């Protein structure tokens, strides 16, 4: 089923060029079909054995080099596969009511982007993973550069330069890992837990892999491409960039770096945790200084992904489960926030907070209410999806893996907790500025439209579902996480 999913996605990406009617409507139906296929994969998934690779495909691709077209899903990757398909479909729903320049090209690029993202989460061969990891770069580069804001050219080139340099480090790390392990098979590498790979090779390979993955994550101080890319990208570009592309970096840590290079992970874990908490504080302080709505949401992603990286750095089942939970929660919440930012900018003609002014709850009560919901979800209100990933990352830091300096990680926990307070501060400040108070200009605004409800409602429902019943995700990820880190 995994190979058929990729074939279907690639086929519709090519077919959109031959559509004579509305390409965006075709893309909506095509992405809906891909989403239905991922849901079917979920329905047929054996939830009694989430640690086992399922829906697998394993063909010889380049036999001379031992490269195989090896695909599959387990409890770690299945939620990310469904999230990718869902957000892509909702992006087409969002586009359905807009006059878009060159809609055929945009639809094709979005579907090609989906193909690369799905392939990254399905790949079980190191070089196949790298190929799919790179496929997403060109579509996103063109989406930002062609349909972005006034600074789109600078933002798109900054995005491609940073990510290509990061990819160079990633490739070196993958080759070091493959040469030490004697195989490209990610399943066999994870099961070996570094057996046969020397300590020095593990430390070096993890460093190269870590830099390459950290650029995509993004981790401070390799994050500087992100605010410009988010600010200038069109709404659909920002949604997929925040909702899925950032997760490719953290997924690589969980799937490849930590299980395949356990000694390297232990060596670098305190440094990874340190950079993670710096990112949490930096992201929160940067948000307090922003005057543009999209740029503020972009910087908030740096902080939220810092919690994900902090969870990974603990090298415990609790911490890595927290990271995977945070990945999904951030994708849902920040996807909704960027949809809202695009709709707000469309109505007000600006994303500048001072020009938006206050009184949104009075002028467009439904729009203001959904924005309030998304903000309180992002700041980690208990009962919503954003709470569990951050809380579990703090708990994981309190009891890191044996061999890691506990006092250091307890310090990280305290600093990250301060970052959580600052996160609440900037989101409440945002709501105080634009949803309450007197409006800067009179008159009612167009409230939430039917197609906006169609795009936003699934995210709202899932944010509530995952927040109220966290076991829906944790029951899926816990067993494969324990298998990946050798915790039984």
């Amino acid at each position: 089923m995994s190979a058929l999913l990729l074939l279907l996605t690639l086929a519709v990406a090519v077919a959109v060029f031959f559509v004579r009617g509305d390409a965006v409507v075709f893309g909506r139906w095509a992405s809906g079909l891909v989403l239905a296929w991922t849901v079917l994969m979920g329905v047929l998934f054996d939830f009694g054995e989430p640690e086992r690779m399922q829906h697998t495909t394993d063909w010889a691709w380049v036999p001379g080099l031992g490269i195989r077209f090896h695909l599959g899903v387990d409890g770690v990757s299945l939620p990310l596969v469904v999230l990718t398909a869902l957000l892509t479909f909702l992006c087409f729903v969002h586009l359905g009511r807009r006059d878009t320049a060159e809609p055929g090209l945009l639809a094709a690029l979005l579907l090609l982007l989906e193909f690369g993202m799905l392939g990254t989460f399905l790949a079980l061969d190191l070089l196949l993973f790298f190929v799919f990891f790179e496929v997403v770069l060109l579509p996103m580069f063109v989406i930002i550069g062609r349909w972005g804001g006034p600074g789109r050219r600078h933002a798109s080139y900054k995005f491609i330069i940073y990510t290509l340099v990061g990819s160079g480090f990633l490739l070196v790390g993958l080759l070091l890992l493959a040469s030490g392990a004697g195989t490209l098979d990610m399943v066999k590498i994870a099961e070996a837990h570094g057996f046969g790979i020397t300590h020095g090779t593990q430390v070096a390979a993890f460093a190269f892999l870590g830099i390459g993955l950290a650029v995509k994550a993004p981790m401070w101080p390799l994050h500087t491409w992100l605010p410009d890319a988010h600010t200038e990208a069109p709404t659909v570009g920002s949604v997929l960039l925040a909702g899925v592309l950032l997760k490719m970096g953290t997924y690589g840590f969980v799937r490849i770096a930590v299980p395949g290079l356990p000694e390297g992970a232990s060596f670098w874990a305190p440094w990874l945790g340190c950079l993670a908490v710096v990112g949490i504080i930096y992201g929160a302080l940067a948000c307090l200084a922003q005057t543009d709505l999209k740029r503020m949401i972009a910087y908030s992603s740096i902080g939220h992904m810092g919690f994900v990286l902090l969870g990974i750095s603990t090298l415990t089942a609790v911490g890595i489960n927290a990271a995977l939970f945070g990945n999904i929660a951030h994708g849902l919440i920040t996807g909704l926030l960027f949809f809202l930012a695009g709709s707000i900018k469309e109505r007000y003609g600006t994303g500048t907070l001072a020009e938006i002014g206050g009184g949104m709850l009075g002028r467009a009560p439904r729009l203001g209410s959904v924005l309030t919901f998304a903000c309180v979800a992002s700041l980690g209100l208990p009962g919503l999806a954003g709470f569990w990933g951050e809380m579990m990352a703090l708990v994981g830091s309190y009891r890191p893996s044996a061999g890691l300096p506990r006092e250091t990680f307890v310090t990280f926990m305290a600093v990250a907790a301060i970052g959580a307070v600052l996160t609440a501060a900037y989101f409440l400040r945002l709501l105080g500025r634009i949803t309450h108070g007197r409006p800067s200009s009179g008159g009612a605004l167009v409230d939430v439209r039917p197609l906006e409800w169609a795009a936003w409602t699934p995210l709202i429902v899932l944010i509530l579902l995952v927040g109220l019943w966290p076991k829906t995700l944790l029951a899926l990820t816990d067993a494969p996480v324990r298998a990946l880190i050798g915790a039984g």
Side-chain angles (χ1 to χ4, degrees), residues 25-272:
V25 172
F26 174 83
R28 191 190 307 172
W29 284 102
S31 61
L33 183 60
V34 173
L35 174 61
W37 193 268
T38 63
V39 171
L40 179 62
M41 290 176 66
V43 171
L44 298 178
F45 188 83
D46 183 359
F47 290 92
E49 293 183 283
E51 70 279 11
R52 178 172 60 86
M53 283 296 169
Q54 303 178 39
H55 304 309
T56 57
T57 298
D58 191 3
W59 303 328
W61 186 23
V62 187
L65 297 177
I67 303 173
R68 303 188 66 81
F69 194 78
H70 191 186
L71 307 170
V73 291
D74 63 357
V76 169
S77 53
L78 181 62
L80 289 165
V81 167
V82 177
L83 176 68
T84 300
L86 174 65
L87 288 179
T88 305
F89 171 67
L90 297 182
C91 283
F92 277 105
V93 173
H94 172 87
L95 283 173
R97 59 182 175 78
R98 287 167 171 76
D99 294 324
T100 303
E102 300 182 78
L105 178 59
L106 179 58
L109 289 171
L110 288 173
L111 291 168
L112 182 60
L113 185 63
E114 182 179 27
F115 170 74
M117 295 185 296
L118 289 172
T120 301
F121 299 131
L122 292 170
L124 296 177
D125 179 278
L126 289 179
L127 289 186
L128 185 62
F129 171 86
F130 180 77
V131 169
F132 282 119
F133 200 86
E134 297 305 291
V135 165
V136 304
L137 300 185
L138 184 59
M140 184 56 73
F141 169 74
V142 177
I143 288 171
I144 297 172
R146 176 64 185 85
W147 289 276
R152 59 185 179 273
R153 184 172 181 179
H154 170 76
S156 62
Y157 278 106
K158 195 172 183 179
F159 164 78
I160 199 72
I161 290 171
Y162 264 79
T163 49
L164 282 176
V165 171
S167 296
F169 281 93
L170 177 63
L171 180 59
V172 173
L174 291 174
L175 293 176
L176 282 173
L177 172 57
S179 64
T183 180
L184 293 166
D185 191 312
M186 291 161 57
V187 177
K188 293 179 180 178
I189 289 171
E191 290 174 348
H193 298 297
F195 180 78
I197 308 177
T198 66
H199 177 78
T201 300
Q202 289 202 38
V203 171
F206 193 95
F208 280 104
L209 279 173
I211 292 172
L213 295 170
V215 171
K216 190 68 69 74
M219 182 176 72
W220 184 92
L222 304 174
H223 68 283
T224 56
W225 62 270
L226 182 70
D228 290 335
H230 269 317
T231 304
E232 300 301 332
T235 298
V236 293
S238 293
V239 169
L240 292 177
L241 185 58
V244 184
L245 261 71
L246 305 189
K247 314 305 180 287
M248 291 166 56
T250 52
Y251 173 79
F253 275 107
V254 175
R255 174 65 72 198
I256 301 172
V258 170
L261 302 163
E263 293 181 28
S266 295
F267 181 88
W268 291 111
W271 295 98
L272 181 60

Side-chain angles (χ1 to χ4, degrees), residues 47 60 133-134 152 155 170 177 192 207 212 229 237 255 266 325 337 357 378 388 391 406 408 426 445 457 481:
F47 290 92
F133 200 86
E134 297 305 291
R152 59 185 179 273
L170 177 63
L177 172 57
R255 174 65 72 198
S266 295
F325 198 104
L337 280 169
S378 192
W388 295 104
M391 180 57 64
R406 185 168 183 267
T408 301
Y426 67 72
L445 291 172
T457 299
V481 163

Side-chain angles (χ1 to χ4, degrees), residues 275-341:
L275 294 175
V277 295
V278 170
I280 292 169
I281 298 297
Y282 170 83
L285 294 176
C287 284
L288 287 169
Q290 297 310 305
T291 59
D292 180 88
L293 179 58
K294 284 189 73 175
R295 201 167 185 87
M296 194 208 83
I297 299 171
Y299 274 107
S300 76
S301 291
I302 297 170
H304 288 306
M305 296 310 290
F307 278 100
V308 172
L309 291 164
L310 177 61
I312 293 170
S313 73
T314 67
L315 305 182
T316 62
V318 171
I320 295 177
N321 273 306
L324 295 172
F325 198 104
N327 270 341
I328 301 299
H330 180 263
L332 297 171
I333 296 168
T334 309
L336 179 59
L337 280 169
F338 275 116
F339 275 135
L340 286 161

